[in-house]
Amino acid sequence: MDSDQEDEVPNVNFVPSLLFIKRGVAKANPDKVTLTPAELARIINETRDDLEEDGANGIDSSDDEENEDSAARLASRAQDQAGTSGNRSAGDEFGFENYEQESGEPVVRLASVAVVDPAENIQDEDDSEAEDEIIKPTDNLILVGHVQNDSASMEVYVFNDDEGSLYRQTGHICAIGCMDPVITLWDLDIQDSLEPVCKLGSKGSTKKNKPKVGHSDAVLDLSWNKHLDHILASGSVDQSVILWDMEDGTPHTIIKEFGEKVQTLAFHPTRAEGLLVGSCDGMVKVFDCRTTTNDSASFLSWAVGGEVERVCWNHHSEFHFVASTNEGRIHYCDVRRPGETLWSKEVHEKEITGLVLSSKVRGMLATASADGTLKLWDMDEEDAKLVYKKNPKMGVIQCLDECPENPFMLAMGGDLKTKNFSVVNVLDNDVVTNVFKARFDPSYVPVASGERMNIEPPTEAMEDASISDDDDSDEDEN
C-alpha cells in the first residue's frame, strides 16, 4: 500500500515558467557547499517566525524554548568546528556585507547558508559521473519553475543540442518572482543552497517593526536590463512596475500607470531605456525609463483589447513589437505609430501563453496557447502565415522559450501531470526547414540606429550608477 501511494501522480503538477540560458554563462564546475548546524537551526527558526507572522494555523509553539536551546547548542558546535567567530566576509562576493551592519532589517539580506568550503575536496568515486557534472561550453541551461501539490521549486536542466542530451544540473544568478511579493535572487553556481543570496522587497512585520518595501502582491514577470545589468524590472498583481537598483537592492522607480495587474514586460534588446509592458486592462505601453519617475511617466500606449498575456520585441526591427491576449489574438505594432496596430490576427482558440519572436531567424514567430497547441508563423509588417502546428500533449501550455544559439529548439511547460516539460526541434518538420532554415543567422546581433523612439524628448539618460543619471554618450555609442 505504501509503495503504491509513493508512485501516485501528484494532484497538482505543472510548469508555469521556464527560461533558456545561453551557452558559456554557467560555471563549469559548480561549487560544493557545507551547511553548518547553526545555519540549519537559523533556517528552521526563521521559517517558523515567518509562518507565525503570516498567520499560519496549526503551529505548536509549546516547544519554543527547546528549539532555542537546540539552536544555541548547534551554534556552539559550529563555533567549535569552524574555530571562528562566524564572520564570512571573505565569501561575500556580492558586496552586501555592509547591509548586515546597518541598523534594522536590510531590504537586501545576504544569505549565509551557501558557503563554499575551500578545505573540502569532494571527489566523485566514478570519473564518468564527475565528468557528467561538468557544464561544457556547448551546454545550455534551462531554468524550469515547477509546482507540485503545495510546493514550488526551480529545476535547472543542462541541454546539449549536439549530443541530444537533457539532464538536471545547477548554474548562475537567477531572479524569481512568485505568489509572494518578495523577489529572490539565487546563485545557481552554488549547489545545495537552501536560501537565496538576497531578497528584493519586504512584506513587512509588525512584530519586528519592519516596513513594507516593494510590491504588495504576487510578482508575475521579471526582465533584466541587458545593457545595465544592475537594473531589474518587475510587474505585479498590485498594478505596478518596479525598477530595482541592484546596487543597493531598493526600488529606484515605481510605475503605477496601469488599471489592472501587470503580467508581462520586456526591456528593449538594444535601447536600455525602453521598457515594453502589457497589463490586464488591455493596454500595451512602452516607457522611456530616462524620463519616468515615481510621480510622472513618459510612455506610448496601445489598446489591444482583452488581457495582455505576453509581449516581445522584434530583434530584427527595433521599432516593432508583438503582443498576445487572452482572446487568442496577436497584435503587431510600431512604436513610431502610437495607438495604431499594423495588423491583428486570431491565431489560437484560447489565451496565448507563449510568445517568441526569434532573435536569429527573421520573421519566425512561435506561439503557444492554453488550447494545447504550438504554432510557428512566418510574419512580416503585413501579416502572419501559419507554417507549423503541433500538439505536444502537455495539457495547457503555460510557457515557451527558444534556445539562444539554436532558435529551432523550443522548450515548453504545461500542466499535464504526467508530462509537463518538453524540448522540441521544429526542424524535424520539412516545411519548417524549407521556410526558415536558410534565414538562420547565428552571428546576428541587433544594433540600435540613430533614430529615437520619440516617447518624449529625453532630458536625462541612464548610466551604470543610476537609471536617471545624466550621461547619454555611452548609450549612443552602444
Side-chain angles (χ1 to χ4, degrees), residues 432-449:
V432 174
T433 300
N434 293 335
V435 174
F436 293 119
K437 189 174 182 179
R439 301 187 200 174
F440 177 40
D441 183 359
S443 63
Y444 176 78
V445 176
V447 178
S449 68

Side-chain angles (χ1 to χ4, degrees), residues 84 87 101 114 172 184 189 194-195 198 269 343 419 423:
T84 178
N87 188 341
Q101 299 173 355
H172 227 57
T184 56
D189 282 336
L194 298 184
E195 282 189 323
C198 65
W343 53 262
K419 180 186 178 183
V423 179

Side-chain angles (χ1 to χ4, degrees), residues 153-455:
S153 62
M154 182 181 65
E155 300 169 354
V156 182
Y157 290 81
V158 176
F159 175 75
N160 190 290
D161 184 18
D162 297 332
E163 300 175 1
S165 59
L166 179 68
Y167 57 96
R168 293 188 193 184
Q169 182 70 20
T170 62
H172 227 57
I173 292 290
C174 171
I176 298 179
C178 57
M179 300 307 293
D180 190 282
V182 177
I183 300 167
T184 56
L185 299 180
W186 298 79
D187 186 348
L188 303 180
D189 282 336
I190 301 178
Q191 296 186 26
D192 305 323
S193 176
L194 298 184
E195 282 189 323
V197 292
C198 65
K199 299 179 181 180
L200 302 179
S202 170
K203 292 184 290 185
S205 171
T206 55
K207 180 179 179 180
K208 299 178 181 179
N209 194 27
K210 183 172 65 174
K212 292 183 179 180
V213 178
H215 290 295
S216 60
D217 211 326
V219 177
L220 300 182
D221 202 9
L222 298 166
S223 179
W224 287 102
N225 193 309
K226 295 182 179 179
H227 301 276
L228 305 173
D229 57 9
H230 68 293
I231 301 298
L232 176 71
S234 60
S236 171
V237 173
D238 66 13
Q239 303 181 22
S240 74
V241 167
I242 294 181
L243 302 182
W244 298 87
D245 188 343
M246 304 300 295
E247 291 184 347
D248 57 13
T250 59
H252 179 281
T253 306
I254 301 178
I255 307 173
K256 299 181 179 180
E257 301 290 336
F258 311 99
E260 252 290 354
K261 60 184 178 182
V262 178
Q263 60 181 14
T264 178
L265 47 78
F267 273 110
H268 196 281
T270 61
R271 298 173 178 266
E273 76 278 6
L275 179 63
L276 177 62
V277 183
S279 52
C280 288
D281 56 1
M283 300 299 296
V284 179
K285 298 179 179 180
V286 176
F287 290 86
D288 187 335
C289 297
R290 296 171 299 184
T291 53
T292 294
T293 66
N294 292 338
D295 301 321
S296 63
S298 302
F299 62 89
L300 305 173
S301 62
W302 292 258
V304 297
E307 298 180 0
V308 182
E309 296 283 342
R310 294 287 185 269
V311 293
C312 64
W313 290 101
N314 188 341
H315 286 68
H316 295 267
S317 182
E318 62 179 330
F319 295 106
H320 296 84
F321 66 85
V322 185
S324 68
T325 70
N326 66 329
E327 298 175 344
R329 301 185 67 87
I330 54 176
H331 306 266
Y332 193 50
C333 304
D334 186 333
V335 297
R336 295 167 297 187
R337 298 168 60 179
E340 303 178 24
T341 56
L342 298 181
W343 53 262
S344 298
K345 192 182 189 76
E346 184 175 349
V347 298
H348 285 278
E349 297 176 358
K350 296 182 179 180
E351 61 265 28
I352 300 174
T353 52
L355 186 70
V356 176
L357 185 53
S358 178
S359 60
K360 301 291 185 181
V361 182
R362 180 183 293 272
M364 189 176 80
L365 175 68
T367 61
S369 169
D371 62 18
T373 62
L374 166 70
K375 296 181 180 181
L376 287 186
W377 305 85
D378 185 4
M379 61 160 285
D380 54 28
E381 292 190 10
E382 297 181 355
D383 196 8
K385 299 177 182 179
L386 182 63
V387 174
Y388 171 81
K389 177 181 178 180
K390 178 182 178 65
N391 186 340
K393 297 181 180 180
M394 301 173 62
V396 174
I397 300 179
Q398 303 274 355
C399 49
L400 175 72
D401 199 17
E402 71 171 2
C403 176
E405 291 80 11
N406 182 359
F408 300 111
M409 287 290 182
L410 299 175
M412 295 174 288
D415 70 349
L416 191 64
K417 299 175 183 177
T418 55
K419 180 186 178 183
N420 51 38
F421 173 57
S422 177
V423 179
V424 299
N425 184 357
V426 294
L427 282 184
D428 291 339
N429 181 273
D430 292 338
V431 177
V432 174
T433 300
N434 293 335
V435 174
F436 293 119
K437 189 174 182 179
R439 301 187 200 174
F440 177 40
D441 183 359
S443 63
Y444 176 78
V445 176
V447 178
S449 68
E451 185 178 356
R452 294 188 179 275
M453 290 186 180
N454 291 326
I455 297 176

